[in-house]
C-alpha cells in the first residue's frame, strides 16, 4: 500500500533528508587516500548523533541478508555496486567510492547516495559517475503528477543504456516515509506509461545503479551483503529522496 504524505509530513521528511545530505557531504570531504571505510562510517555516525537522528541501516536485516547490517554507512568500492560493509580497508589513489546513507528523524526517513573518485580520477570513472547523475536527474524530472512509475524507470534506463552501461536486475528505488523501504518499487528500467500513477504526496527514493562493463550480471560477496559486478568492472550509484507534488518534484536530500 502506498501512503500519501501531507505537506507537513513532507517538510518533516526534508529535515531528515538534510541530515543525510550533511553526512554524505562530510564523507565526501573526508574521503582521501589512506582514510579507512570504518573512519568514514564513524564520521557519518557523528552527524546522526549531532542531529539527534538514528540510522535505518544499522541492524537492518532483509530476507536475503545472513546477518544484520553492522554500520550506518554503505561504502562500496570499485566493483562493488551497493551494500558495501565498511571495513578497515584504506582508500587508495584512483578508487571509486559509492556512499549510501540513511537517517531517521522524528519518525521520518531519508535516503541518498553519491559516487565519487578518490585522488587521481580515471576518465572512465568520471564518465560513469556523470552518467549515474544524469540518469538520476532524468528520473527526478519524470517524477511528476500524472506520470507513472514506468515513466521514471524508462527515463533512467534510457540514459544508462544509451551510454553503454549495465543495470543490475532486480535492484532499484523504493517508496520511503516512516520506514526506509515502502511501496512502490521504482525500477531502473521499464516501459513508459506503465505502472502506478504518480500522485501528490508520494515520496520515493530514486536510485540508478550502473555497471561500467555493460553487462547486468552481479553476485553477492562472501559477507552476504556487498553486491559485486560479475565482470569485475566498476560501478556507480546515485540516489535522492524525492517528493512528488503538484508543483513538481521536490528533492528532500539535496546537498547545498
Amino acid at each position: 500500500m502506498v501512503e500519501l504524505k501531507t505537506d507537513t509530513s513532507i517538510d518533516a521528511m526534508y529535515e531528515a533528508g538534510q541530515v543525510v545530505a550533511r553526512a554524505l557531504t562530510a564523507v565526501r570531504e573526508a574521503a582521501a587516500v589512506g582514510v579507512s571505510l570504518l573512519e568514514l562510517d564513524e564520521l557519518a555516525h557523528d552527524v546522526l548523533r549531532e542531529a539527534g537522528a538514528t540510522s535505518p541501516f544499522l541492524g537492518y536485516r532483509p530476507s536475503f541478508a545472513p546477518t544484520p547490517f553492522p554500520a550506518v554507512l554503505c561504502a562500496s568500492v570499485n566493483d562493488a555496486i551497493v551494500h558495501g560493509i565498511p571495513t578497515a580497508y584504506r582508500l587508495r589513489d584512483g578508487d571509486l567510492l559509492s556512499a549510501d546513507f540513511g537517517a531517521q528523524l522524528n519518525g521520518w526517513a531519508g535516503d541518498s547516495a553519491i559516487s565519487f573518485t578518490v585522488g587521481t580520477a580515471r576518465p572512465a570513472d568520471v564518465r560513469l559517475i556523470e552518467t549515474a547523475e544524469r540518469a538520476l536527474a532524468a528520473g527526478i524530472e519524470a517524477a511528476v503528477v500524472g506520470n507513472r512509475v514506468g515513466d521514471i524507470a524508462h527515463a533512467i534506463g534510457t540514459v544508462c543504456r544509451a551510454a553503454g552501461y549495465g543495470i543490475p536486475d532486480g535492484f532499484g528505488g523504493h517508496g520511503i516515509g516512516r520506514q526506509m523501504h515502502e511501496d512502490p518499487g521504482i525500477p531502473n528500467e521499464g516501459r513508459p506509461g506503465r505502472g502506478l500513477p504518480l500522485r501528490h504526496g508520494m515520496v520515493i527514493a530514486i536510485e540508478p545503479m550502473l555497471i561500467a562493463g555493460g553487462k547486468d550480471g552481479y553476485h553477492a560477496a562472501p559477507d552476504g551483503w556487498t553486491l559485486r559486478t560479475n565482470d569485475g568492472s566498476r560501478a556507480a550509484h546515485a540516489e535522492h529522496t524525492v517528493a512528488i507534488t503538484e508543483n513538481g518534484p521536490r528533492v528532500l536530500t539535496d546537498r547545498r
Side-chain angles (χ1 to χ4, degrees), residues 17-94:
Q18 289 309 290
V19 176
V20 177
R22 290 197 297 274
L24 288 176
T25 297
V27 165
R28 182 168 192 164
E29 290 175 351
V33 175
V35 174
S36 77
L37 302 182
L38 283 174
E39 289 170 335
L40 295 179
D41 180 68
E42 185 59 29
L43 174 62
H45 210 156
D46 285 343
V47 174
L48 285 178
R49 295 185 187 105
E50 290 168 4
T54 59
S55 171
F57 289 15
L58 183 63
Y60 179 59
R61 188 178 183 182
S63 57
F64 68 81
T67 58
F69 196 76
V72 302
L73 178 74
C74 291
S76 305
V77 180
N78 296 335
D79 66 328
I81 306 168
V82 287
H83 302 164
I85 295 175
T87 65
Y89 176 84
R90 294 191 176 277
L91 292 167
R92 301 172 183 173
D93 188 51

Side-chain angles (χ1 to χ4, degrees), residues 111-240:
D111 189 9
S112 184
I114 55 174
S115 293
F116 56 91
T117 55
V118 177
T120 308
R122 302 181 183 184
D125 289 345
V126 172
R127 177 173 175 267
L128 177 67
I129 293 166
E130 288 177 345
T131 305
E133 292 171 347
R134 284 196 296 110
L136 175 59
I140 293 171
E141 186 176 359
V144 296
V145 173
N147 271 359
R148 292 176 176 266
V149 166
D151 294 304
I152 298 174
H154 178 71
I156 294 169
T158 297
V159 172
C160 298
R161 296 301 189 189
Y165 296 126
I167 301 170
D169 185 45
F171 283 85
H174 50 87
I176 184 170
R178 294 285 184 183
Q179 305 296 322
M180 178 172 59
H181 291 142
E182 297 182 353
D183 292 332
I186 310 294
N188 284 328
E189 194 167 30
R191 298 177 64 182
R194 299 295 183 91
L196 189 73
L198 304 179
R199 298 171 59 190
H200 178 89
M202 290 175 63
V203 183
I204 56 177
I206 301 174
E207 50 178 322
M209 306 165 195
L210 284 65
I211 298 175
K215 304 295 185 181
D216 298 349
Y218 62 89
H219 61 276
D223 63 25
W225 274 99
T226 309
L227 299 184
R228 296 190 178 278
T229 62
N230 281 350
D231 60 8
S233 67
R234 295 190 169 195
H237 178 204
E239 178 184 17
H240 271 310

